Amino acid sequence: MPLHEGNRAYESDGSLLQNPSLNSDIPEILAETIFRYTAYPSVPQIEAVVEALLKKHPCLREPATSFSGTYGWQQRLKWKMANYRSKMRRRGVPCPELDINSLKRKSPSERNPAKNCKRAKKAEVNYLPPHPSGETNDTLEMERQELLSEVKEEFRRITTVSLEQRFMFKLDHYTPKLTALMKAKGGVMGTKLRPFLDKLSQSQRLEMRREAVIRSLIVYLGEKEEELLEDCLEDSRSDATQHVLKILVVHGADGEEPVDVSILLEGQEMMSGRGSTAKACMLLMGLIYGLNLAYPPKLRYTFEVFQKLFLELDVIKMSPKVQALKLKLLS
């Protein structure tokens, strides 16, 4: 085997394998394997594949003068993925990711294979998975309605992450550090945070403490809690049709602990019950992923923290604000 012999030679005298045919054959095999998981691998994913390849077969490394020594393999794999996608299109292989990016779906001025490609944006492993055998758009829509009560399973299907376990664990894990950071704030921000911190220190119930942390986190990030949370009393419940995306927190006569928490989505009450604000935030993340919705622009940092710090999805690229928060939490 050329690779085995090349590795032995590399270990012996550091010589690199010079076999032009492998430069084409290996990316072809890798592209076929990658396609089983995603048609459009991200740059970090391609880099990870190349690093794994060169770790297993160091004889394939490129000369030190070739950028980082991996640049050529990264480029070859990108090109091979593009060629492999074209080949799958010609064969008529059913793949929603390819269909939605086909030239016929683009305007005449944008009919370029590489222009305006729609792809995963929130670290989904299975982005636009194909319909299961025997299913249609209509049957899947009925299925979607029935699965609203099983959002956590749907979230796990498309991200391979346990929604509730990961979200709640990280929320509780970061609570002491978040509390310390917020207590250190002074001025106008400190004044805004004080009511939430007081509630956090006074409450003994875990769910109420979690709610206080989430509310204070939104304020700490420079956003408004009322953009996400709608508080009302039981006898003056807010109208769901007025809201595009909101968590409705219904309080009893004392105005304290919620008696009902609902998720309002595009004028519809999706979920309701004696849950908690933290659980509603967690389930809302599941709905956003399951229905492939965009994050609310006015809450971009809050949802970025939910995704990248609490759920640990797509953590390589963060906004400066969330990156700074993460560094403080880990210090």
Side-chain angles (χ1 to χ4, degrees):
M1 293 289 291
L3 287 177
H4 293 163
E5 294 174 1
N7 286 335
R8 284 196 291 268
Y10 179 85
E11 293 173 359
S12 175
D13 55 19
S15 59
L16 301 176
L17 181 62
Q18 302 296 326
N19 190 330
S21 65
L22 291 179
N23 290 347
S24 177
D25 294 343
I26 291 176
E28 178 75 24
I29 296 172
L30 291 175
E32 181 178 353
T33 302
I34 291 171
F35 190 82
R36 298 172 188 169
Y37 300 93
T38 176
Y40 295 91
S42 64
V43 171
Q45 288 171 332
I46 286 180
E47 290 175 350
V49 170
V50 171
E51 288 176 6
L53 171 68
L54 299 184
K55 182 177 181 180
K56 184 173 183 178
H57 301 293
C59 64
L60 294 175
R61 295 184 181 277
E62 297 167 319
T65 56
S66 180
F67 296 91
S68 63
T70 65
Y71 179 79
W73 281 107
Q74 291 176 25
Q75 293 304 111
R76 284 192 284 272
L77 186 51
K78 289 179 184 177
W79 295 330
K80 191 61 70 172
M81 281 301 306
N83 292 338
Y84 195 81
R85 286 193 293 267
S86 298
K87 183 166 66 174
M88 293 298 102
R89 284 194 187 96
R90 290 194 297 270
R91 290 182 180 177
V93 174
C95 178
E97 285 187 85
L98 296 183
D99 293 341
I100 201 171
N101 289 316
S102 63
L103 295 183
K104 65 182 180 181
R105 287 179 176 264
K106 298 184 178 182
S107 63
S109 61
E110 295 183 343
R111 285 182 179 169
N112 183 306
K115 190 170 183 180
N116 291 339
C117 281
K118 295 179 174 65
R119 61 190 71 188
K121 293 183 179 180
K122 303 192 293 291
E124 299 97 333
V125 175
N126 296 312
Y127 177 66
L128 285 178
H131 291 347
S133 177
E135 298 286 358
T136 65
N137 287 341
D138 291 338
T139 61
L140 287 178
E141 174 59 21
M142 293 176 61
E143 182 79 6
R144 184 185 70 82
Q145 295 292 339
E146 295 171 359
L147 287 175
L148 282 176
S149 61
E150 302 177 15
V151 168
K152 291 176 287 189
E153 285 76 12
E154 175 70 2
F155 182 86
R156 186 160 193 163
R157 183 179 76 88
I158 60 179
T159 65
T160 71
V161 168
S162 175
L163 175 60
E164 183 168 10
Q165 182 179 7
R166 178 77 64 81
F167 189 96
M168 296 304 181
F169 174 80
K170 285 298 180 180
L171 172 59
D172 295 340
H173 174 74
Y174 286 130
T175 289
K177 267 295 181 69
L178 282 170
T179 304
L181 289 174
M182 294 172 190
K183 285 182 177 179
K185 280 289 184 180
V188 176
M189 177 64 74
T191 302
K192 291 180 179 179
L193 290 170
R194 183 56 52 196
F196 304 115
L197 295 175
D198 290 343
K199 183 173 290 188
L200 183 61
S201 62
Q202 295 166 7
S203 178
Q204 299 300 316
R205 293 193 67 251
L206 177 60
E207 293 302 339
M208 294 300 292
R209 291 175 58 82
R210 285 172 171 171
E211 177 178 337
V213 170
I214 288 176
R215 288 179 182 267
S216 57
L217 173 64
I218 296 172
V219 175
Y220 181 85
L221 292 169
E223 297 173 336
K224 298 179 180 179
E225 59 163 330
E226 56 265 29
E227 292 290 342
L228 177 62
L229 304 169
E230 174 87 3
D231 291 287
C232 68
L233 295 177
E234 199 168 9
D235 58 358
S236 58
R237 195 181 183 96
S238 180
D239 183 4
T241 61
Q242 299 177 358
H243 303 290
V244 176
L245 189 154
K246 193 81 72 172
I247 293 174
L248 181 64
V249 184
V250 182
H251 300 271
D254 59 2
E256 292 298 324
E257 189 168 344
V259 296
D260 185 80
V261 180
S262 304
I263 296 176
L264 310 180
L265 196 59
E266 296 184 350
Q268 300 293 322
E269 188 171 303
M270 305 296 288
M271 295 181 181
S272 178
R274 292 186 60 85
S276 67
T277 303
K279 186 173 182 179
C281 290
M282 175 267 296
L283 290 174
L284 181 56
M285 286 297 293
L287 280 170
I288 287 173
Y289 270 76
L291 302 179
N292 195 26
L293 303 177
Y295 292 147
K298 293 182 180 180
L299 292 166
R300 55 172 294 202
Y301 296 118
T302 298
F303 279 90
E304 185 180 351
V305 169
F306 287 172
Q307 176 191 323
K308 299 187 178 184
L309 297 191
F310 292 173
L311 293 172
E312 297 182 320
L313 292 171
D314 195 21
V315 298
I316 296 177
K317 185 178 180 181
M318 295 184 183
S319 65
K321 178 175 287 191
V322 175
Q323 180 68 43
L325 175 61
K326 181 181 179 181
L327 292 176
K328 291 176 182 178
L329 293 174
L330 297 179
S331 63

